[in-house]
Amino acid sequence: MTAQAANPIILLGPPGAGKGTQARLLEEKHGLIQLSTGDLLRAAVKEGSALGREAKTYMEAGKLAPDDLMIRMIADGLQKPEARRGFILDGFPRTVAQAAALDAMLEQKGLSLGHVIVMAVDEEALITRITGRMTCAKCGEGYHDSFKPTAKPGVCDKCGGTSFIRRPDDNAETMKTRLAAYHAQTAPIIPYYEKRGILRRVDGMAGVDAVALQIEKVLGAV
Ligand code: ADP
Ligand code: ADP
Ligand code: ZN
């Protein structure tokens, strides 16, 4: 993945598709920077910043936060010097307006998109994934009650932390709104990228390692 290292990769898929899981693996393996708008928003909410306060209501309701706010957030992320080595976008863009703004930002930097990887997962499986999701409070490692439990109950494999976070929006009820937002507002960006020939589909129903392998193949790393 040398020649394309600077070209950003987008991981696209409905909530629970495995974007965060795969982005973290790519970060570890290839030293790419992961820019996750969901993680950035949750950090802003925790800090209680103006941006966090604005985003909180949308997140709790399972609705998308306003485009202008999200575009500003990504513009800041792209300024980071580490981003020059290449980055993975997880959770952005989520609307056609965001996708168009991203194109303009990248063009200004002389960058163009590498691959847009769509992770397809059945709706029923998404709900099971979301309702069992938890994250280590200390290092952010993601787990699942059934699909990726910690080796030792209640102890993070990565850092030994013993406190885990469950997102308030990870419930079956809010998930309905999030899925509706995905279909209405996010799915239209699939044809937007397909037309440009940069869209790649992977079977997100496979296990974590098998999905990772499909992604590595797309990136030409194996
Ligand atoms: P997203 O970032 O797309 O919302 P996550 O990566 O957080 O999704 O994954 C959602 C949940 O499903 C997590 O608990 C994660 O451990 C689990 N998970 C991720 N990928 C897979 C997979 N391929 N098979 C089974 N469970 C998975
Ligand atoms: P998931 O991992 O389940 O796909 P995220 O963590 O990416 O969810 O996002 C959580 C919430 O943050 C979304 O439901 C939405 O309210 C908000 N959000 C994240 N990224 C965006 C974005 N690009 N545009 C609008 N809202 C966003
Ligand atoms: Zn941990």
Side-chain angles (χ1 to χ4, degrees), residues 98-122:
Q98 291 179 15
L102 176 66
D103 284 337
M105 283 189 260
L106 293 178
E107 199 182 318
Q108 264 192 350
K109 292 184 178 298
L111 291 173
S112 61
L113 279 174
H115 303 277
V116 178
I117 301 174
V118 183
M119 306 175 65
V121 177
D122 295 352

Side-chain angles (χ1 to χ4, degrees), residues 12-70:
L12 188 63
K19 304 181 295 293
T21 302
Q22 297 299 331
R24 274 180 87 95
L25 288 174
L26 287 168
E27 196 170 47
E28 280 168 22
K29 275 191 229 160
H30 299 292
L32 300 174
I33 301 301
Q34 173 196 2
L35 278 175
S36 157
T37 42
D39 287 351
L40 292 169
L41 286 173
R42 279 182 289 279
V45 169
K46 205 168 157 193
E47 256 172 40
S49 66
L51 189 148
R53 287 197 302 276
E54 191 183 343
K56 193 169 184 248
T57 358
Y58 293 98
M59 295 171 81
E60 278 174 354
K63 293 185 178 157
L64 295 188
D67 283 336
D68 60 332
L69 188 148
M70 300 314 303

Side-chain angles (χ1 to χ4, degrees), residues 108-160:
Q108 264 192 350
K109 292 184 178 298
L111 291 173
S112 61
L113 279 174
H115 303 277
V116 178
I117 301 174
V118 183
M119 306 175 65
V121 177
D122 295 352
E123 212 140 287
E124 216 173 292
L126 292 174
I127 294 165
T128 316
R129 285 190 189 180
I130 284 290
T131 47
R133 168 159 66 183
M134 57 177 169
T135 309
C136 170
K138 204 167 149 195
C139 75
E141 182 68 8
Y143 293 97
H144 188 280
D145 292 328
S146 318
F147 306 136
K148 194 190 162 194
T150 53
K152 215 166 122 193
V155 182
C156 174
D157 300 352
K158 281 265 155 90
C159 76

